[in-house]
Amino acid sequence: MNVTTRVLFAASEVYPLIKTGGLGDVGYSLPHALQRAGADVRLVLPAYRTVLTQVDSINILGWLDVRGAKRTHSVRILEVRHADFAFPIWLADCQVLFDRPGNPYVQADGHDWADNAERFSVFARVVTELARDVLGINWQADVVHANDWQTGLVPALLGEFPHPPKRIFTIHNMAYGGHFSLADFNRLALPRQWWTPEGVEFYGGFSMLKAGIVYADEVTTVSPTYAREICTEEFGYGMQGVLQISRHKLHGILNGIDEKVWDPATDVHLLAHYSANRRQPGKALNKQALLSRFGMESDEIAMQVPLLGMVGRLVEQKGLDLVLAALPYLLSHTDVRMVFVGSGDSKYEAKLRDFAVKYPTRIGVFIGYDESLAHLLEAGADIFLMPSHFEPCGLNQMYSLRYGTPPVVYRTGGLADTVIDASREHLAQGIANGFVFDEFNFEALIAAIERAIACYAQPRVWQALQRTGMNHSFGWEHSAQSYLALYRATSNK
Ligand code: ADP
Ligand code: GLC
């Protein structure tokens, strides 16, 4: 590809416009990295209510008649600008489907929006039409890069046309399959020929994630280890067979992090700035601020004992059962304090709240979504907890490394690819940056936390660990090149 590659990047969430987790971060930073590497990028996402309130210079590109569930929607296509974006953003504006408050996938009571099948099939159809320049705006995609089940139908839909653009599909999490029924399939008038075990059919229903895997030219996932793991029964969610036969086109490309947004030397959410060479007093001031934010003492003793922090979606994936099982032991056998920021499963929310009520001097809990507090926690905590049962990539452990807050992680997925255990050997080699445990049980988690606490008590060793993490480059450059190489490789087929 000698001329600039035109990449249409489709995602269901994009920071800072709308974000529920790491997909939002990647939806922002990967397209920018691609653009910096020379691609001509357009980003397309649904015009959720909160997105519309944040953008400016709205330009109507046109209207598309799009097939929904037994009805046709007239979808307005907007081209908008936003100060944080280096390229135009295209929005699929369909009020009945997207003009709603709150979370893009679930309603206030935590249940999925009942019409998600229609919402994301309409979005996928819009992406397909834009890629083909049906509106005649003289921008036709060379590559369409779709992400997760919400855009899984895009590769399949594009395949219905002659000479489609290259179709890249990235799996960010196999746990979310976009499963719907045969009745939905019929209502959406999706092509009959897709309904086979080799196509989108999945145990009597259909899966939008499977559609992406089956029909894309290249499938990627967000770390090399996860790419291997999802081909096994344990991590494949029933799709290991499909993934095994797709092995020739399956690649693990590690996510990067946005080193501008997540930089302790400039982060606007921090109370004080610091860097690898000058960690104090900045890091301590953030610890103090974090403790006060949770109404906890920040006297000399509190400042001396390790502060453990965890931030993320409160779902089973993140190892909350282990954490909750470990808490009583940590409270009785150690003097650590702990702070949690997250929202998700109500059973975990309630249990964490109970602990905070019972042990207000030791445990601080914020249930909800707070971007600013997440940054402060990464900076103010001493040790970051991320004992996920599985983790496609994980961004939080990379943020914590960059913020001098060594993480404790289970050896899985992207955690295994980014965290190097503080074993004697790794410490001697100067490559250790955190604590990794190998058995997924709370005893192993406690043992890893105890190792972290012991290491924290040895300032020299601890500082070396912090420096190694902080000095490592987790930027996107390398991964962006891998994606560009993949775009090129497929286009030569
Ligand atoms: P996942 O995508 O599985 O949720 P990642 O580690 O890849 O996990 O990314 C999580 C992202 O979402 C991080 O940017 C993290 O800070 C953010 N995040 C998750 N929950 C919250 C919350 N309650 N408040 C603020 N940020 C959150
Ligand atoms: C998913 C995964 C997480 C990954 C993120 C971005 O939400 O759970 O591990 O970092 O996507 O790719």
Side-chain angles (χ1 to χ4, degrees):
M1 241 180 274
N2 296 323
V3 286
T4 311
T5 310
R6 291 190 181 139
V7 183
L8 182 61
F9 195 94
S12 57
E13 55 182 274
V14 173
Y15 166 89
L17 302 172
I18 180 132
K19 166 176 161 184
T20 69
L23 174 62
D25 289 344
V26 174
Y28 174 76
S29 48
L30 174 55
H32 279 92
L34 294 168
Q35 170 106 349
R36 283 196 300 276
D40 178 18
V41 178
R42 295 292 179 279
L43 184 62
V44 53
L45 77 155
Y48 307 111
R49 182 177 296 175
T50 137
V51 171
L52 284 173
T53 60
Q54 296 172 70
V55 294
D56 32 55
S57 73
I58 297 177
N59 176 23
I60 300 173
L61 291 183
W63 279 262
L64 292 170
D65 284 337
V66 180
R67 181 66 220 256
K70 295 203 160 172
R71 53 182 173 171
T72 298
H73 298 280
S74 176
V75 182
R76 197 166 64 145
I77 308 301
L78 306 173
E79 180 173 89
V80 301
R81 289 279 178 176
H82 183 281
D84 293 344
F85 288 79
F87 40 74
I89 305 161
W90 289 347
L91 299 179
D93 186 20
C94 178
Q95 283 188 11
V96 282
L97 299 180
F98 300 120
D99 185 14
R100 300 175 190 180
N103 187 291
Y105 320 122
V106 297
Q107 30 189 43
D109 64 7
H111 289 100
D112 289 354
W113 293 110
D115 54 355
N116 271 351
E118 181 178 25
R119 295 171 76 225
F120 291 106
S121 64
V122 165
F123 180 53
R125 287 187 192 273
V126 167
V127 174
T128 305
E129 300 296 77
L130 290 173
R132 299 169 52 238
D133 196 17
V134 167
L135 288 177
I137 51 175
N138 203 18
W139 195 96
Q140 201 164 350
D142 301 308
V143 175
V144 177
H145 191 150
N147 295 274
D148 269 356
W149 73 262
Q150 296 86 348
T151 55
L153 293 181
V154 172
L157 289 164
L158 283 168
E160 296 297 302
F161 298 95
H163 312 296
K166 300 305 161 247
R167 295 161 291 169
I168 309 289
F169 183 63
T170 297
I171 303 166
H172 295 264
N173 198 333
M174 288 297 300
Y176 302 96
H179 297 292
F180 300 101
S181 65
L182 174 59
D184 284 323
F185 186 85
N186 289 332
R187 266 197 295 273
L188 296 169
L190 293 170
R192 292 248 136 251
Q193 66 275 19
W194 294 359
W195 193 269
T196 67
E198 293 76 32
V200 303
E201 193 270 337
F202 189 72
Y203 293 102
F206 79 106
S207 156
M208 293 192 185
L209 183 77
K210 188 179 173 196
I213 295 169
V214 169
Y215 293 100
D217 297 307
E218 302 291 338
V219 178
T220 72
T221 187
V222 287
S223 71
T225 296
Y226 195 60
R228 289 189 296 275
E229 288 173 341
I230 58 179
C231 295
T232 66
E233 198 181 335
E234 190 184 352
F235 296 97
Y237 285 86
M239 288 191 207
Q240 57 275 12
V242 182
L243 287 159
Q244 280 161 17
I245 46 173
S246 306
R247 259 205 171 118
H248 61 284
K249 60 171 187 178
L250 176 63
H251 316 265
I253 301 179
L254 194 69
N255 283 335
I257 64 171
D258 191 307
E259 291 182 318
K260 278 203 185 117
V261 175
W262 294 91
D263 181 357
T266 55
D267 190 330
V268 292
H269 304 293
L270 304 193
L271 189 90
H273 292 142
Y274 60 97
S275 61
N277 295 330
R278 246 184 91 84
R279 288 184 304 282
Q280 300 304 356
K283 189 148 172 66
L285 289 170
N286 287 302
K287 179 172 180 178
Q288 216 160 22
L290 184 61
L291 286 166
S292 322
R293 175 76 165 69
F294 282 96
M296 292 159 83
E297 292 239 28
S298 57
D299 56 10
E300 212 174 310
I301 295 178
M303 289 301 289
Q304 267 165 20
V305 300
L307 177 61
L308 273 53
M310 182 165 181
V311 48
R313 295 179 297 115
L314 300 178
V315 294
E316 197 183 346
Q317 173 191 346
K318 301 294 173 182
L320 280 145
D321 294 303
L322 291 200
V323 172
L324 289 164
L327 279 184
Y329 178 93
L330 293 172
L331 286 165
S332 57
H333 288 74
T334 74
D335 55 3
V336 298
R337 321 255 146 133
M338 291 165 269
V339 288
F340 296 87
V341 173
S343 65
D345 196 326
S346 51
K347 94 177 167 221
Y348 296 128
E349 293 183 351
K351 285 189 178 156
L352 283 176
R353 272 201 188 106
D354 286 350
F355 271 106
V357 169
K358 222 163 153 197
Y359 304 97
T361 58
R362 303 281 306 275
I363 298 185
V365 171
F366 172 84
I367 300 296
Y369 192 92
D370 187 334
E371 188 81 28
S372 182
L373 186 55
H375 284 243
L376 183 65
L377 188 147
E378 294 281 5
D382 295 305
I383 297 167
F384 193 77
L385 284 187
M386 194 158 171
S388 309
H389 193 198
F390 67 91
E391 196 59 80
C393 178
L395 300 172
N396 270 318
Q397 83 281 10
M398 292 193 261
Y399 300 150
S400 79
L401 288 166
R402 190 156 162 74
Y403 279 58
T405 309
V408 174
V409 304
Y410 174 55
R411 193 184 304 282
T412 186
L415 299 175
D417 292 342
T418 52
V419 183
I420 301 170
D421 185 59
S423 63
R424 202 167 288 165
E425 196 187 347
H426 292 153
L427 281 168
Q429 292 169 343
I431 56 171
N433 61 12
F435 302 86
V436 186
F437 61 99
D438 290 281
E439 299 285 321
F440 193 74
N441 56 52
F442 80 93
E443 290 89 349
L445 169 63
I446 288 173
I449 294 175
E450 285 185 323
R451 282 199 295 131
I453 296 170
C455 192
Y456 179 80
Q458 300 169 259
R460 279 247 187 106
V461 183
W462 190 254
Q463 285 159 18
L465 210 62
Q466 287 180 304
R467 266 197 308 273
T468 304
M470 293 184 83
N471 284 329
H472 188 88
S473 167
F474 287 106
W476 269 105
E477 289 64 32
H478 183 73
S479 301
Q481 288 303 333
S482 305
Y483 280 110
L484 285 179
L486 209 57
Y487 297 166
R488 259 174 237 135
T490 53
S491 55
N492 291 338
K493 264 184 191 165

